[in-house]
Every structure is written in C-alpha cells, then in structure tokens.
Amino acid sequence: MRFVFTSAVKDLRRLRREPVTLLTWLGIPTFIAIILVVIFGRGDARPNGKLLIVDEDRGIGATLLAGAFSQGPLGNMISVEKVELEEGRHRVDQGKASALLIIPKNFTQALVEGQAANLQLIRNPAQRIMPEMIEEVLSMLTDGAFYLQMVAGDQLRKSAQGTPSDASVAQISVQFNHVIEDTRKYLAPPLIQLNTKVIQDKTDKPGGFAALMLPGMLYMAVFFIAGGLATDVWRERASGALRRVATTPASFRSFLAGKLLAVLVVLALVGAFGLGVARFLADLRISNFPLAVLWIAVSGCGLYLFMMLLQSLASTERVAHMLGNFVLLPLTMLGGSFFPFDMMPRGFAQIGRLTPNGWSVTQLQKILAGVEVTPAAFAAVILFVAAGWLVVGWRIRRTAC
Amino acid sequence: MLRDAGYLAYRDLLYLLPRRETWMWTFVMPIIFFYFIGNVTGGFGNHEKRDPIAVLVPADGGFLADELIRRLEQRNFQVIHTVHFFRELRIPAGFTATVLAGKPVQLELTRYGAGIDTDYDRTRAARAVYTVLADLVAISSKGGTPNPKAFAQLAQQPRLISLSVTSAGKRKDPPIGFEQAVPGTLVMFTLLIMFTSGGVSLLIERRQGILRRLASSPMSRGAVVLGKWGARVTLGFIQIAFAMGAGKILFKVNWGDHLGAILLLLAAYASLAAVLGMLLGNFSTSEGQVIGLGVIASNVMAALGGCWWPIEITPRWTQSLALVFPTGWAMDALHKLMFFGDSPAAVIPHIAAFVVTALIAGYVLARNFRFE
C-alpha cells in the first residue's frame, strides 16, 4: 500500500514540475466553455440572418411582405434591409446576406386584383438554415395570398376599382362582413387545431446550447488528458523506471495502482474545475456536484486504462501515439463530445451511447440532471477499472524491459 | 540547403509512408470524419432526405386524413405508421366526419427533444394542417361541398402569386447534404492532425535524440526545419487530395469548376497548419502540452472559423470574427469557390495570407528550433 502512495506521489510531483501541462488541461474545458458562452450566450442557439429586399412595387403588398419578417421570433432572427437591385445582387453574391427577395412591380395590384406576380428569392448557398426559413415563410405567404383570393377575391377586386362611391363602400363592407361571418365557423376558433407536445428528455437541461454541449466537451478533455497521461509510460520506460520497478519487490500492479491514483486526483481536479466553469459561465445545472466530480474521475480512470492498454500494444512510441489518436478521435466523435447526442442522427446516438466515453457522458448527464444513476452503472465502471488494472498491469510487466 | 531539406523530407516520407498508422490517418480517418460529421450537420435543408413522421390514422379517418398525409409529404416528410416514434402525429377517430359536422378537432403532434429541428417540424406540420383547413374554407366559400374531388380541383387552381428560388453566385445547383459539411470537416481535420500529430512527432524525435543527431550533421538549421516541414506538409497534401477524391466518389461532393484553385488553397492552408503544428511541438516540453494546446487551439479555431456548425447560428459579430483565423480564411475561400462558383482570382488574397503567415511562422520556428 505504501508503494501505491509513493508511486502516486511520484507522478503528482512530476506533474507539478510541468505546470504548463496541468494548466493546459484545465484550460481545455475552460476555453471551450468560454467560446460557447461567448458565442451562444446562455440561451438556445438561434440563427441570425439578413434578408435584403428589393421593393420594385413600393406598395402596401410589399410592406406587408417585409413586415412578416419583422414579427415575433422571426424578427429576432432576421434583420430586413431594403436595397436597390444591383447592390442587393452584389451583396448576396458576396455572401453578405442570407437571401435577396425581389418584389416585382405591381405586386400589390396583382395581389388585390388576382393577377400573376412572381417573387424571386435568391439564396445564399453558403448558409443552410436562414435561407430555408425565409423560403418557408415566403412559401406560406404565397399560400395565404392564394387563399385570400379564393375567399375574398371578388371583394378585393371591387375595392380596388377606382374611387368607390359611398354606396359601393357600404356594399363592399357588407360583402367583407359576409365573408368574415362565413369563415368564422372555420377559423374562430380554428376547426382543425394542431397541438404540439414537446417531450424533453429528463437529461435536457436549462442553460441553452452551451450547457448542452459542455458535458460532452468536458469528456473530450478528460479523454485527451487520459490519453496524454497514458503516454507517460514511454518516458518511464525510456528513463529505466519500469526496469527498476521490475527489480523491486513491489508489483507492477502496485506501481500501476499508484499511477491510477494520481490520474484520479488529476481528473477530479479537472472535472471539478470544468464543472465549476460550466456552472458559472453557462448556467449548467448540477444537481450533485461531488458525485459528478467523482464520476468524471472514476470513469476517466477507465478511459486512462483503456489508453494505457493501447500504448502497451504498440511497438514504438510513435506507433502508440498514432494508435491512440486513431482510437480516441472516432470515439470522441461518436461518444457525444463533438456533438451532443440530441443533435446526432438517432442511429449514431444509439451507437455512441454504447461507447465507453459516450456511456460515461450519458451517466454524467443523469447525475447533473438529478436523475438516479443505477448501482449497476457504478458497479460496471468499477469492474471495468479493476479489469483494466489487472490486464494493463500484466501488459506493462511483459513489456517493461 | 534545398538539397539537404529535400533529402531530409524524402527520407522522412520514406519512413512514414509505408507505416500502417500513416495509411490509417491518410486514407481511413478522413472518410470516418466526413461520414460522421456530414451525417450530423449535413441534414438541414437537404431535400433529398425526407424526415420520417409517424402518422397514426384511425380506420374512419376519412379523406381529410388522406389530404393531410399528402400535405405532409409535400413538406418533405416521409409518412410511416410506426407507434412510439420520436416524431408522431395522431389523428383522432372520425376526423373527417367531425370536421364536416362543424365540430372542432384537435390533432396532436408529439416530438421528442427540443431545439431548432423541433421548431422546423412544428412549422411544417402546422402548414400541412392549416392548408387543409384553408382548403376547406375556400371550397365552402364558393358554395362547394368538401369532398376529395373538390380538393383535387382546388389543388389544380393556378397559384397566381408564385415564388421562384435560385442560388446566388455562378453555381447553378446549390450545395446540399455532404457538400455543405465536407469542406468544414476537411479544414478542421487538417488542422487537428497537423497540430497534434505533427507537433507530437517532432517532440518525440527530439526526445529520442533524432534532432540532436541532425544538429551534429552538416545540414543547416534552416534545412532541417524545411525538411521536417516538407515531410509533414507532403503527407498533408496526400491526405487532402485523397480526402477530396473520397468526398467526390463516396459522398458526391461537387468541388466545383475550380478544382486546381481549391487544391492550391488547401495546400497553402496545410502549409500554414504544418508550421503551426511544428511550432507547438518545438516549444512544448511534453506530449500532454502538445495535445492539450493543440486540442484547444484547433477547436477554438475550428469553432470560430465556422467549421463546426452553420455559421449563421452564431451572432453577427462572430461571423465577422471568423476572418481573423486561418480556418475562417479557408472556409471563406472554399465557400467562394465551391458554393458561389467565384473565379480563382477571388481567393488570391486568402492564398497569399496563408503563404505570408506560413513564412513568418517558419522564420520564427527556424530561429528558435530546439534540437534538444
């Protein structure tokens, strides 16, 4: 037992002599949290775009069309700017707007009198979300124009004819009133209503996009740190430390247990720091801080042993490094570190949750959300660590000299 | 000096190329990255892929239920009839009869998970539902009887106010699906590999005494730096060229009409990334530092440069900030060439920026190169 602590203290002291390394590791989740919060704030990620409008009509129809983009949530996402045709084309061709809408001359007249008119929408091909939204809204508005013509077309045409007399105005008003009365039974309230029920996963948490990304990103940091710590075995081998351990009465498993203890301390520190930063900056909800830190540390040890096993299978340090990255990067991608599982296609998310790091992220999200984590989950990670310790200890012993 | 550098680069490549790990990184990893990230981020706005929606229709749903299904399919949904699906629309019993009797009916859309995709689903489903209602109003206002024939006749009516959609720039067909995601993935992947692998390999060589032995050789410092850079950047070129080929063949990415300009641009970008990776390896004292700083730097630059997510979901000031980073320059240039179909002359400033920055960074590296 004494050798275990000695080994752990040795590793921690070596790490203390490399403060830049430790600060860098602490910096990974910090920088990522800062970036996410600076970019997205504490809310959801919402698109921002600009719609340029060339109004060749200069009538009320064009004003209504432009006004549709300034209302409600759309108004927060899309800024509308009226421009001349040449300027608009130039700007959208340079990618400086999400889309350019050209409202033709006599659009209002066409709308009222039931004539043909074509709206032109020129989309920015480098953007996906905003042009799609703008096109969808315009498409809905053209639907609206069609139905307006179907229901009240005659009345609109009459109202547009010259300067109506008092009698004409009265007649048109009565006709509009009849239209309203006839449609009231369908529309007030709507005869067919759509209710939307959005079922959020229990692990969905407030804090917006940044908080959604952070647990996975924290595990990316943990995985990279575990990988970096695992490469330390090459330095130990090159310096002859492993050979010296082989000549002592202490077992390699004790030596490895000491390294594991040091890794536990480091990952607990990184986990605590990362969660603290996430809570402070991104308003990440943490129901049980100590348990979350413990989970990160213990599951991180499992990842460390996994990376150690890969290191022990390689013939040279260079091969080990390549092999480590070859395994680490796909696992971090699939395991919810690049993108949260909510954003992935369902098949990918299902596979990702089965990876060691993905499974750990899922359990961490449960802990953060206050959902009870089953004892089986804890048992599984402890068993994994124990099995890894035995196997890796055996491998290091074989390849020590 | 050039001969020495060329010889060193050649020997390094001879050492690296036959290795299995090189083959993995050059030929396997790009495909994995493209496939994964393309699937995650390339879906929005992709009309080739329909979104499945489970529509639960009772036996007596009636013709209005059929109309609704038709509208959903027009809104790029693929209607299926599975229960407990994550995107589900439930039509109540006697739907058509109830509506035609003038009684209100509620349809329920159940969606698991919140976010922008859910909002989009809700908008499309609402449009499908309310156009059915609008058709009902339109038919009734003309004194007609709502039935399948009346709906079909109404659908045949010309839409006088129409919307024509085109794409900006010179490219005729706008990019979709993987074409949207692959350029950003390629830019990020190149940077990540050059930073981590490129930096760590230099550190390992220093630790193993390889650089010390080179320092005792007749080769100049500049030749050593150039040679090491040459090997890394050549490998980067091979990787980029293969990735572009794989993108074209496997993921149907259309690289546009200016393939030569794209290759030149990415070569210049890889050159800069290689130098920056070597700088990282040069000044770091452990693999942990290289990996940590490499991960931070590459993630920050990829995120802020617009490689990770559609740039339009970030605030406007970050969209401008993207142009501070090499990743932002690369993305801007690729958008110009691939998405807008601009001429190669449009990316000369970007290539010049990469080359100049690489030269400055290379000078700093050569002056401060650590052999031990």
Side-chain angles (χ1 to χ4, degrees), chain B residues 260-336:
Chain B
I262 291 177
L263 283 168
L264 187 62
L265 171 81
L266 289 174
Y269 171 71
S271 304
L272 173 61
V275 170
L276 294 176
M278 287 177 67
L279 270 172
L280 190 58
N282 186 61
F283 290 113
S284 299
T285 54
S286 70
E287 285 92 335
Q289 284 180 22
V290 175
I291 291 168
L293 289 169
V295 165
I296 291 175
S298 58
N299 276 314
V300 166
M301 284 204 265
L304 292 177
C307 301
W308 274 2
W309 37 56
I311 195 73
E312 69 259 39
I313 69 168
T314 60
R316 288 194 192 99
W317 67 269
T318 60
Q319 295 177 29
S320 307
L321 185 66
L323 292 175
V324 169
F325 300 99
T327 43
W329 308 343
M331 291 303 296
D332 187 56
L334 285 172
H335 284 166
K336 282 179 166 18

Side-chain angles (χ1 to χ4, degrees), chain A residues 99-293:
Chain A
L100 171 70
L101 173 65
I102 303 173
I103 304 173
K105 251 184 241 183
N106 303 323
F107 173 74
T108 302
Q109 185 180 345
L111 196 62
V112 170
E113 295 182 8
Q115 295 168 1
N118 181 53
L119 297 166
Q120 286 182 70
L121 182 69
I122 301 165
R123 293 171 51 143
N124 179 344
Q127 293 186 12
R128 282 173 265 170
I129 299 173
M130 290 315 305
E132 189 68 26
M133 277 175 125
I134 293 167
E135 184 180 339
E136 187 74 26
V137 170
L138 283 171
S139 192
M140 283 163 63
L141 291 172
T142 56
D143 278 352
F146 170 74
Y147 290 114
L148 184 65
Q149 275 297 318
M150 285 289 116
V151 172
D154 293 335
Q155 292 78 6
L156 283 171
R157 275 185 285 280
K158 278 185 190 163
S159 65
Q161 280 167 4
T163 310
S165 63
D166 288 349
S168 296
V169 167
Q171 190 185 24
I172 291 166
S173 299
V174 167
Q175 286 173 350
F176 268 119
N177 194 46
H178 286 158
V179 166
I180 291 167
E181 285 300 319
D182 288 343
T183 56
R184 190 191 293 273
K185 65 179 180 230
Y186 295 103
L187 298 178
L191 203 58
I192 308 174
Q193 276 194 342
L194 177 70
N195 290 335
T196 307
K197 190 162 73 172
V198 177
I199 298 176
Q200 299 210 10
D201 192 272
K202 277 186 184 171
T203 56
D204 279 352
K205 46 202 135 334
F209 189 67
L212 183 68
M213 299 275 295
L214 276 169
M217 295 241 155
L218 187 57
Y219 258 90
M220 178 168 67
V222 166
F223 212 160
F224 272 101
I225 291 167
L229 286 169
T231 61
D232 188 55
V233 71
W234 292 98
R235 291 171 75 178
E236 303 255 24
R237 185 180 295 172
S239 68
L242 295 184
R243 203 164 45 242
R244 285 193 289 277
V245 170
T247 63
T248 67
S251 70
F252 266 95
R253 292 210 173 96
S254 303
F255 176 73
L256 182 61
K259 292 185 86 64
L260 211 51
L261 188 57
V263 167
L264 189 79
V265 169
V266 169
L267 291 179
L269 184 63
V270 170
F273 188 80
L275 287 175
V277 165
R279 185 177 207 163
F280 175 67
L281 286 179
D283 202 28
L284 178 69
R285 186 179 76 192
I286 303 172
S287 293
N288 192 332
F289 191 89
L291 186 60
V293 171

